[in-house]
Amino acid sequence: MKKNTFLLLMLMMLVLNASAQVIRPEGTFVKASHRNIQYVGRVSFKNPDSPAFTYPGVQINARFDGTSLKMIAKPMSGYFMAQIDNGKPFKVGFNAPKDSVVTLATCLRDEVHTVRLMYVIEGYQRMPEFRGFLLDEGAKLLRAPELPQRRIEFIGNSITCGYGVESTDPKEGFSDETENHYYTYAAITARNLKAQHLVVARSGIGIYRNYAGPKTGSKDNMPSMYNQTLFGVKNERWDFSRYTPDVVCVNLGTNDVSTDPYDRDFLENGYQNFYKRLRTYYPNAKIVFLSGSMLTGQRLEHVQYALDNVVREARIAGDKEVYRFDLSWQTGELGYGADYHPSIWQQEKMAGELTAYLRSLMGWF
């Protein structure tokens, strides 16, 4: 009996050792702090080997040699869109407590390749971190591809985040699985114009009052949170010298007026004060206030009226680089995403409109 028990224990140990060998990552590990990894967006480098981010649209780019590539991230970090060379972008996720390694490519030609990653959900609850790449044994990262010279910043709410864009059921609620910033008007416009883009956006947020917030305003509105590197993390302020946009697009106001009661004077004051703050950070950038696409009727008119006043007063004061642009409101003809948010087709329509407007405004032909 004792002999059989001993043999059984030995067999179990062999199985466990074999399993450990199967799941152990193999290859050349490249830390997230490697000088050839390129980051775009609000990223915290307090731990350079595990940089953190919370806003959608953060990008991680690199060039590598070899035939395969894996990425490493903090478990439960959420969803990324990945693209290898000029191939079709695809979605990968880190959604299990021990899910920290994801294969991005195998069986590539043994040559130099490019990888582009974009974080595509709101990460303020998950607190995602990127931790590096696994390459073929002996492979290495090369100098990252040059970034476009053009720079756009998008400040917004759920429309900019991509809330529900991968759903076709307006009665479906929010989920990380159907949110995808890659398919938003913001990301598509940036790709159309061959521009970098940085995103500061969160669902439900407003210029003075968040969704269903008190009439007098919400303490955690966009202006209150805007100087944070990571949303909700007060002890790390964003260094605005790290990214200077040529144009800033602000799409806020939907949540402020979506529910009653709201105050039109507070709404306009919120726009006015935020405009003045943006101008201190970006004295030479063009600032474009957007409306659309989830408001109609009187609520849309109130937002447009407030924005018209902001632009008019800024220009009277001598600032000629403040603008207004209305994105098309949704009618349902292009379908809806989750919770009646813009569908992917509505997002593409808005991108076409904004691309044409910015191309003319910026002379980006």
Side-chain angles (χ1 to χ4, degrees), residues 73-199:
K74 172 185 169 183
M76 302 297 292
S77 283
Y79 292 97
F80 297 77
M81 289 293 284
Q83 184 180 26
I84 305 296
D85 299 328
N86 293 316
K88 184 178 180 179
F90 56 95
K91 195 175 185 181
V92 296
F94 295 82
N95 295 298
K98 296 183 179 181
D99 183 10
S100 61
V101 182
V102 169
T103 298
L104 299 181
T106 59
C107 302
L108 298 171
R109 294 174 67 106
D110 192 2
E111 58 189 28
V112 176
H113 302 279
T114 300
V115 57
R116 292 179 174 86
L117 299 169
M118 179 186 291
Y119 191 66
V120 293
I121 65 172
E122 302 166 69
Y124 62 94
Q125 291 181 316
R126 291 178 179 256
M127 298 303 290
E129 298 176 13
F130 172 69
R131 293 177 174 170
F133 292 114
L134 277 171
L135 310 178
D136 291 347
E137 194 70 49
K140 60 184 180 297
L141 287 189
L142 297 98
R143 185 175 179 178
E146 292 293 327
L147 287 169
Q149 294 298 309
R150 302 167 179 176
R151 292 184 173 190
I152 309 172
E153 179 171 328
F154 290 96
I155 304 170
N157 49 38
S158 56
I159 300 169
T160 304
C161 291
Y163 182 125
V165 73
E166 290 198 65
S167 172
T168 57
D169 182 0
K171 295 182 180 180
E172 182 179 359
F174 174 82
S175 71
D176 286 340
E177 286 70 27
T178 62
E179 184 170 65
N180 195 327
H181 174 77
Y182 189 88
Y183 297 121
T184 63
Y185 76 94
I188 297 171
T189 296
R191 291 195 293 274
N192 288 346
L193 294 172
K194 295 181 173 57
Q196 299 180 48
H197 83 290
L198 178 146
V199 181

Side-chain angles (χ1 to χ4, degrees), residues 213-286:
K215 180 179 180 180
T216 54
S218 303
K219 291 182 179 180
D220 57 345
N221 58 31
M222 177 58 79
S224 299
M225 313 298 278
Y226 180 66
N227 65 352
Q228 298 174 358
T229 301
L230 306 175
F231 185 89
V233 179
K234 298 180 180 180
N235 62 359
E236 185 177 0
R237 297 198 171 200
W238 174 246
D239 178 0
F240 286 91
S241 68
R242 285 171 54 182
Y243 185 93
T244 304
D246 301 299
V247 58
V248 181
C249 295
V250 183
N251 190 357
L252 293 168
T254 300
N255 291 303
D256 300 77
V257 303
S258 286
T259 60
D260 292 321
Y262 58 89
D263 189 293
R264 293 177 62 184
D265 290 334
F266 286 157
L267 175 70
E268 185 172 331
N269 288 337
Y271 284 126
Q272 290 278 11
N273 293 332
F274 193 47
Y275 150 69
K276 292 174 183 177
R277 278 187 61 192
L278 289 175
R279 186 51 82 209
T280 64
Y281 298 135
Y282 307 129
N284 300 314
K286 297 181 189 297

Side-chain angles (χ1 to χ4, degrees), residues 2-22:
K2 289 183 179 180
K3 184 177 180 181
N4 290 340
T5 301
F6 176 75
L7 290 173
L8 179 61
L9 288 172
M10 289 295 294
L11 180 61
M12 290 175 65
M13 289 178 66
L14 288 171
V15 170
L16 288 172
N17 286 336
S19 299
Q21 288 174 3
V22 169

